[in-house]
């Protein structure tokens, strides 16, 4: 009788081992996916803020000037060597 009870317990343990492993693996995957979803939601919010900021008139004008566009009647001047000039000026000033 005792051997039968032990065999029954072992049989039940064997029958529950695979579903238990599957449950734990699925629970682990779910936790990973939940973290991914949180990260993607945060990234979406950041991108929406960037889009809203980029759509302002000031941002559009700033970007247009960066690529070399000017208002009608303005003249475009390209000044080269500013960083070298600032570096030389800093050295001469004792900085």
């Amino acid at each position: 009788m005792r051997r039968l009870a032990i065999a029954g317990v072992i049989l039940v343990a064997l029958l529950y081992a695979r579903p238990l492993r599957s449950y734990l693996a699925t629970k682990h995957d779910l936790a990973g996916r939940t973290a991914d979803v949180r990260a993607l939601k945060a990234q979406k919010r950041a991108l929406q803020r960037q889009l809203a900021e980029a759509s302002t008139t000031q941002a559009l004008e700033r970007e247009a000037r960066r690529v070399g566009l000017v208002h009608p009647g303005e003249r475009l001047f390209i000044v080269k060597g500013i960083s070298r000039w600032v570096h030389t000026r800093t050295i001469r000033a004792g900085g």
Side-chain angles (χ1 to χ4, degrees):
M1 188 62 151
R2 187 173 181 179
R3 287 185 184 181
L4 188 60
I6 292 173
V9 169
I10 290 174
L11 179 64
V12 168
L14 289 174
L15 291 174
Y16 276 97
R18 184 174 289 162
L20 183 62
R21 259 188 260 133
S22 176
Y23 169 77
L24 293 175
T26 303
K27 187 175 176 183
H28 178 71
D29 287 346
L30 179 63
R33 302 283 174 140
T34 303
D36 290 345
V37 167
R38 259 190 242 115
L40 288 171
K41 283 182 179 180
Q43 184 181 12
K44 179 183 176 186
R45 283 192 301 273
L47 289 172
Q48 285 175 329
R49 278 193 304 271
Q50 285 180 348
L51 180 61
E53 181 183 315
S55 299
T56 64
T57 307
Q58 296 86 2
L60 291 174
E61 185 172 344
R62 185 173 50 246
E63 187 62 23
R65 294 217 179 256
R66 190 185 69 76
V67 296
L69 299 177
V70 294
H71 285 287
E74 289 183 337
R75 287 191 182 176
L76 176 64
F77 292 95
I78 298 175
V79 181
K80 296 182 178 181
I82 292 177
S83 59
R84 186 177 29 175
W85 176 78
V86 169
H87 180 70
T88 336
R89 190 166 179 224
T90 305
I91 290 174
R92 286 183 187 161

